[in-house]
Amino acid sequence: SGFLPQLRNGLIKLGVPTEILEFLSKWNNAGEEQLAIPLAKGAISAIRSQAFFIPLYELYLTYGGIFRLTFGPKSFLIVSDPSIAKRILRENSKAYSKGILAEILEFVMGKGLIPADGEIWRVRRRAIVPALHQKYVAAMISLFGQATDRLCEKLDAAASDGEDVEMESLFSRLTLDIIGKALFNYDFDSLTNDTGIVEAVYTVLREAEDRSVAPIPVWNIPIWKDISPRQRKVTVALKLINDTLNNLIAICKRMVEQEELQFHEEYMNDQDPSILHFLLASGDDVSSKQLRDDLMTMLIAGHETSAAVLTWTFYLLSKEPSVMSKLQNEVDSVIGDRFPTIDDMKKLKYTTRVINESLRLYPQPPVLIRRSLEDDVLGKYPIKKDEDIFISLWNLHRCPNHWVDAEKFNPERWPLDGPNPNETNQNFSYLPFGGGPRKCIGDMFALFETVVAVAMLVRRFNFQIALGAPPVEMTTGATIHTTEGLKMTVTRRTKPPIIPKLEMPALKVDGDSSITKQQSP
Ligand code: HEM
């Protein structure tokens, strides 16, 4: 690369006219552009028929870590290479926006933290991230426990009646109940009730998902909103959610005004530890549309993702009884019959690996969406501004060259005493929460939420795919859903005798520090 500028300088000194120099440099650039990104052909029909990330996996095996896919006039770059993913998400993240994603989600998230770009994103990220401080996440553990306990009661009743249960919708309700309390101290109570507001949330969610897979954006046609019954229903649902949010914001504002508590770094109101409370106390404007957009964004981000993780974790567990029994052993010995605490999160190591591994096989969402804001070089290929890019977490997480037995649900692939796998220590081959500046802000929240739920559920019940249940197949909106639900037979576990845990004093053996504590079996 040093050669060409040198040549140019040499030619200038020799008095070669600039026209000729420019011609030479264009010719040189044209030479670079001959490195064309592989083009996947004839794949369009395959894409429509099933969850779209499945054919992308086949194409990845044929065309490699970056290839172009065209649909008529539209074209996408599909990225499945860890170093290119790292370039886009971390090293040169400034050069990329959320692109199509922001366009699709605008009707519900507005300029909320997920779709927002540029200055709005920067300001809001800085305002919101501090709300999820350590003390907050620790306080959430008991909320996770209480909500899961309500689900346990429901399952207990089903077990008594010998009725099979559809777990996917129950998980969706569990995580909705949790995120409502966690975000704005509101009890949707969707595990027990089907109120209008719960239905409104689902109407909006389904619409967001349908839009993200719809080939033609009919909702952009101005009169469509007024004549389509479905769009009218969406408008009504959005209004109900917004009115509810306004009401919650007003209630919270009054609480903030009456409290004596000074705002500080780990500020938290014990009666109402919600993120909304933190934001209002920190000085967020009650009347702003931005606050509503951010709450709505987090409601959706923190609801469907965690529900999908639980759904696929239980599906995977039902296929691997040996993992299930190891998991149950750990949970029995660590939490027994009590509610999990923050200290247990460190001890539930195998449970954590089960979630890590479930997130590898079923990443939520399975692809990340970006658009280039300027020219860049991806791998060895120069790309232009305005390219729409899909980064396939599905492909990265199942790459047959990178993972041993990539398709196998094997929580043991990460040693229990090693670090929790993340995008940094796995060098972007594993990035269930994304990476770089746009990384998920709810990663610890979500990890603890799913660990608590799994631990409490497998402690009390055994789960099997119900006899005669429909086959468990995938479909996508924003996250991976089943096509026909996850129908399971839930049975109470016959409790093993509870062995009181002996906390032995640390054994001091000369020259051997590895024997420190005696664990009960
Ligand atoms: C972003 C996954 C739970 C809030 C992301 C991203 C991923 C992700 C992959 C990056 C998106 C991208 O780069 O395009 C997950 C998974 C979850 C989960 C798998 C559950 C298991 C949550 C929860 C919250 C949350 C509970 C809220 C408290 C957000 C927000 C962003 C985000 C606000 C956008 C951050 C930004 O752009 O600055 N999440 N998430 N997520 N997540 Fe999560």
Side-chain angles (χ1 to χ4, degrees), residues 98 113-114 121 125 302 305 364 370 432-434 438 440 445-446:
K98 291 287 177 104
L113 199 55
I114 286 185
W121 168 76
R125 174 114 185 169
T305 45
Q364 315 290 348
R370 291 294 188 274
F433 294 104
R438 304 301 299 252
C440 181
F445 181 109

Side-chain angles (χ1 to χ4, degrees), residues 18 32 40 54 64 68 92 126 130 141 190 215 222-223 227 244 248 273 299-300 315 334 370 377 454 460 501:
T18 49
E32 271 176 22
I54 301 296
R68 182 181 298 283
N92 197 23
R126 201 175 275 175
I141 304 283
S190 68
I223 56 166
I227 57 170
T244 311
L248 292 169
L299 178 63
I300 295 177
Y315 168 74
V334 175
R370 291 294 188 274
V377 179
V454 166
R460 281 183 63 177
K501 223 169 140 180

